[in-house]
Amino acid sequence: MKRCNLLLCCLLAAGCHETAPDNVAAAGANGAEKKETPAIKTPPPVNVPMYRTTVSAEPVAEYKEKTENPLNDWYFSVKLYETTKTFQYVMKLKYEEMEGDDTLNLPNVGTVPKPVIQKGGDKYSCIVGFMDNHDQFREYKKVYVKDDQLKVTSLKHYSVATYYK
């Protein structure tokens, strides 16, 4: 049993670090350099409360696309709804008659969160993200249909750090 635990710890430790140096940062098969997402540097969030005083019943962002079903009036849709937590939203997903939901937790970048849904590159897909404190769209999750199944994938992860001089 001790050998199994030791092996598990070694595998976890080996998988948690980068093996390529920063200057060789994973050039792709075509030789293109991999672009890294820069850290979001913001002042300490002091003006944005952690909880909302009122929660809107209407969606704050929505994406809707009609499916090609000739017999029914069906859609692929994603709607974002506020929760009592300022930086948390509920995503209501629908594809034809399949429904689901997911939680979207946005980072506190020092401004009131502005969730956005944009059309994805594939059919029946969209990118859920947010506008940062520089009004730049930051993609977060992809909602899509694959093999007639509704799927959600995290594209990027964000964290906010406060630097003191």
Side-chain angles (χ1 to χ4, degrees):
M1 185 67 177
K2 286 182 181 179
R3 252 191 189 165
C4 181
N5 287 340
L6 180 63
L7 179 62
L8 180 61
C9 288
C10 290
L11 287 174
L12 285 172
C16 290
H17 67 73
E18 252 183 68
T19 56
D22 289 342
N23 60 356
V24 188
N30 59 1
E33 288 185 21
K34 181 181 176 182
K35 293 183 180 180
E36 294 185 19
T37 304
I40 301 171
K41 295 181 182 177
T42 64
V46 293
N47 298 334
V48 183
M50 292 303 293
Y51 293 93
R52 292 185 175 93
T53 54
T54 59
V55 177
S56 174
E58 297 297 316
V60 294
E62 181 177 4
Y63 177 82
K64 192 173 182 181
E65 183 178 344
K66 187 164 176 38
T67 63
E68 293 180 351
N69 188 311
L71 301 176
N72 299 297
D73 190 30
W74 284 341
Y75 289 87
F76 165 74
S77 69
V78 177
K79 296 178 183 180
L80 293 180
Y81 292 91
E82 292 179 343
T83 66
T84 56
K85 295 181 179 179
T86 302
F87 298 97
Q88 187 177 72
Y89 294 84
V90 172
M91 295 190 329
K92 297 285 185 177
L93 319 170
K94 188 167 185 176
Y95 171 65
E96 295 182 344
E97 288 302 307
M98 288 181 279
E99 294 183 4
D101 56 44
D102 194 16
T103 303
L104 180 69
N105 292 307
L106 298 181
N108 183 347
V109 295
T111 60
V112 175
K114 297 177 236 167
V116 177
I117 304 175
Q118 295 183 348
K119 180 170 178 44
D122 302 325
K123 188 173 195 170
Y124 307 134
S125 72
C126 64
I127 307 298
V128 180
F130 62 98
M131 301 303 282
D132 68 10
N133 55 346
H134 302 290
D135 281 331
Q136 186 176 19
F137 178 72
R138 302 286 183 164
E139 59 184 23
Y140 199 166
K141 293 186 178 189
K142 178 179 180 180
V143 182
Y144 60 102
V145 175
K146 183 175 181 182
D147 299 327
D148 281 333
Q149 295 293 314
L150 195 53
K151 306 224 180 232
V152 178
T153 301
S154 291
L155 298 173
K156 295 185 180 180
H157 297 276
Y158 295 94
S159 63
V160 178
T162 304
Y163 296 98
Y164 297 99
K165 292 184 181 182

